């Protein structure tokens, strides 16, 4: 007797795979749970964008809003924008933890020291960049695991864009140091070898040299040997125009007017192809600033440019906060504090002109003119045309009235009256 066939085993229950739509809000959740689900969904969307692309045959598809991934929810992309306008020397978790504490305590305007003040300003910038970030983080203040996942994504975006700017300037930045594009670096050095820059190269050393010191080979040698300390409390020469005569009694004169800083700013916020071009020039497409929604330079973006510019011509091969006695973080915050209390508006205008082509680019919410609203040129044109049509109508009505008044006597008088000329030549012609 043949053996009886075994019945097929039931299929094993499949484990649901996470995808961008796997996290949905459920009714009746607490605010903290809803915030957690929202953040987790954004984290899953971020993860889904890093999958390896698979080449497929092109297929016709009708595009809808739901088919397009919303890049605005990717925390990494927010980190890329934040690095250039926010803070590259403090970790996001440090900023957010202090920000959450002050949001909960209701004392956001109070800071115990400059460090806290800078962190709170960074927190405000983060809130402006990431929609709903403050509310989500406050709701998740007891969920450290989820918060740390978010912070890691933002930190990764910050590090990525900072590294990209550093590496691109490593190759192109030396040409920005020269006043004229036709000039050349002498002695010539390998653009990929940063150890040949810094105090050992005369042109790099001259740009790095503090303004109060003579830019001589003897000075450079003493700095390289450690006999003279260069710190973040000194202004390097590249911040000033080429050939600027330094006045100890007026250090602000010419500050941040150097061509090297302007070119580095255009490289970062518009693109490398814009660095040597006229102010505001881009190569037929939106620059980095437009893609990130940046419409104006700020104290922190200028400080970011100065830090990247100095690192570009230094001999340091690895990004870090220190270069011997020079503290990059302190240099960054020293520059930010120059603009404290609304000072330095002329510097911001100068950078706006170089990067965007206009001294005071308007943000979407800015008011074009102060005082009462003025009619636009288009509105003036419409008003003037309407007034012209009214004048023409008035003139036409007056001519018609005159015609009728001259025509009326010829029809009422007798035909035998010798003073009356009934022919048409007696009537006035209208122009």
């Amino acid at each position: 007797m043949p053996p009886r066939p075994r019945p097929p085993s039931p299929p094993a229950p499949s484990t649901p795979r996470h995808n961008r739509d796997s996290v949905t809000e459920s009714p009746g959740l607490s605010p903290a749970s809803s915030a957690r689900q929202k953040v987790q969904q954004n984290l899953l969307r971020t993860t889904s964008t890093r999958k390896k692309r698979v080449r497929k045959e092109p297929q016709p598809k009708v595009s809808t809003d739901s088919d397009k991934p919303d890049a605005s929810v990717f925390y990494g992309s927010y980190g890329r924008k934040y690095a250039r306008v926010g803070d590259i020397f403090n970790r996001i978790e440090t900023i957010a933890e202090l920000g959450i504490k002050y949001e909960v305590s209701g004392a956001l305007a109070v800071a115990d020291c400059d460090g806290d003040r800078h962190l709170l300003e960074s927190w405000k910038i983060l809130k402006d960049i990431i929609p709903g970030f403050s509310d989500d983080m406050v709701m998740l203040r007891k969920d450290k695991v989820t918060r740390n996942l978010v912070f890691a994504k933002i930190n990764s975006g910050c590090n990525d864009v900072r590294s990209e700017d550093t590496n691109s300037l490593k190759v192109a930045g030396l040409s920005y140091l020269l006043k004229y594009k036709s000039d050349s670096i002498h002695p010539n050095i390998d653009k990929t070898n940063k150890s040949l820059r810094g105090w050992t190269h005369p042109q790099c050393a001259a740009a790095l040299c503090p303004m109060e010191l003579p830019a001589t080979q003897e000075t450079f040698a003493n700095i390289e040997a450690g006999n003279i300390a260069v710190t973040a409390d000194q202004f390097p020469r590249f911040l000033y125009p080429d050939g600027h005569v330094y006045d100890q009694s007026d250090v602000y004169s010419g500050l941040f007017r150097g061509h090297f800083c302007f070119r580095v700013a255009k490289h970062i916020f518009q693109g490398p192809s814009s660095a040597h071009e006229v102010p505001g020039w881009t190569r037929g497409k939106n620059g980095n600033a437009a893609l990130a929604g940046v419409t104006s330079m700020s104290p922190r973006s200028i400080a970011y440019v100065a830090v990247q510019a100095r690192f570009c011509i230094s001999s340091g091969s690895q990004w870090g906060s220190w270069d011997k006695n020079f503290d990059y973080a302190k240099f960054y915050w020293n520059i930010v504090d120059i603009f404290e209390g609304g000072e330095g508006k002329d510097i911001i205008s100068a950078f706006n002109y170089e990067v965007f082509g206009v001294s005071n680019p308007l943000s979407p919410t800015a008011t074009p003119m102060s005082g009462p609203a003025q009619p636009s040129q288009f509105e003036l044109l419409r008003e003037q045309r309407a007034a012209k049509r009214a004048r023409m109508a008035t003139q036409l009505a007056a001519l018609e009235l005159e015609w009728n008044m001259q025509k009326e006597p010829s029809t009422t008088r007798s035909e035998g009256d010798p003073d009356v000329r009934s022919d048409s030549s007696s009537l006035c012609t209208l122009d």
Side-chain angles (χ1 to χ4, degrees), residues 247-310:
D247 183 0
Q248 186 71 33
S249 63
D250 187 11
V251 298
Y252 188 79
S253 176
L255 183 62
F256 285 104
R257 297 301 198 279
H259 65 272
F260 182 52
C261 259
F262 287 147
R263 290 171 183 172
V264 171
K266 291 195 285 186
H267 174 107
I268 292 173
F269 287 96
Q270 293 290 22
S273 61
S274 303
H276 284 290
E277 301 298 334
V278 296
W281 187 90
T282 57
R283 181 179 287 177
K285 60 180 181 180
N286 291 331
N288 294 333
L291 295 175
V294 177
T295 59
S296 176
M297 297 294 286
S298 67
R300 295 194 180 204
S301 60
I302 293 173
Y304 177 79
V305 167
V307 167
Q308 287 282 8
R310 191 191 188 281

Side-chain angles (χ1 to χ4, degrees), residues 197-229:
R197 307 182 190 187
W199 302 108
T200 59
H201 192 279
Q203 287 167 300
C204 293
L208 292 169
C209 185
M211 287 297 292
E212 64 265 32
L213 298 178
T216 63
Q217 288 296 330
E218 181 181 1
T219 301
F220 306 156
N222 281 323
I223 294 173
E224 179 68 13
N227 299 325
I228 299 177

Side-chain angles (χ1 to χ4, degrees), residues 184-197:
S184 60
I185 291 288
H186 182 75
N188 192 24
I189 56 178
D190 183 3
K191 292 182 179 181
T192 62
N193 187 358
K194 287 203 66 190
S195 64
L196 301 177
R197 307 182 190 187

Side-chain angles (χ1 to χ4, degrees), residues 15-26 29 33-34 36-48 51:
T15 303
R17 299 179 61 183
H18 289 291
N19 53 57
R20 68 176 59 183
D21 299 320
S22 62
V23 181
T24 57
E25 292 188 8
S26 302
L29 290 179
S33 298
S34 297
R36 184 180 297 106
Q37 283 196 346
K38 172 187 172 183
V39 170
Q40 288 174 346
Q41 184 172 6
N42 291 344
L43 289 169
L44 289 173
R45 288 182 176 182
T46 307
T47 305
S48 67
K51 291 181 179 180

Side-chain angles (χ1 to χ4, degrees), residues 359-412:
S359 298
N360 295 295
L362 297 176
S363 64
T365 59
T367 303
M369 298 179 65
S370 59
Q374 300 293 326
S376 70
Q377 297 297 306
F378 295 96
E379 291 172 336
L380 287 175
L381 177 62
R382 287 192 291 269
E383 292 174 0
Q384 291 168 3
R385 283 178 171 175
K388 185 177 180 181
R389 286 193 294 268
R391 287 196 305 269
M392 293 178 64
T394 302
Q395 293 172 358
L396 182 59
L399 289 173
E400 289 179 350
L401 179 61
E402 183 180 358
W403 173 282
N404 293 332
M405 290 178 64
Q406 292 179 358
K407 185 179 178 181
E408 187 175 303
S410 64
T411 58
T412 58

Side-chain angles (χ1 to χ4, degrees), residues 23 35 128 162 336 373:
V23 181
D128 290 340
R162 195 275 312 153
V336 171

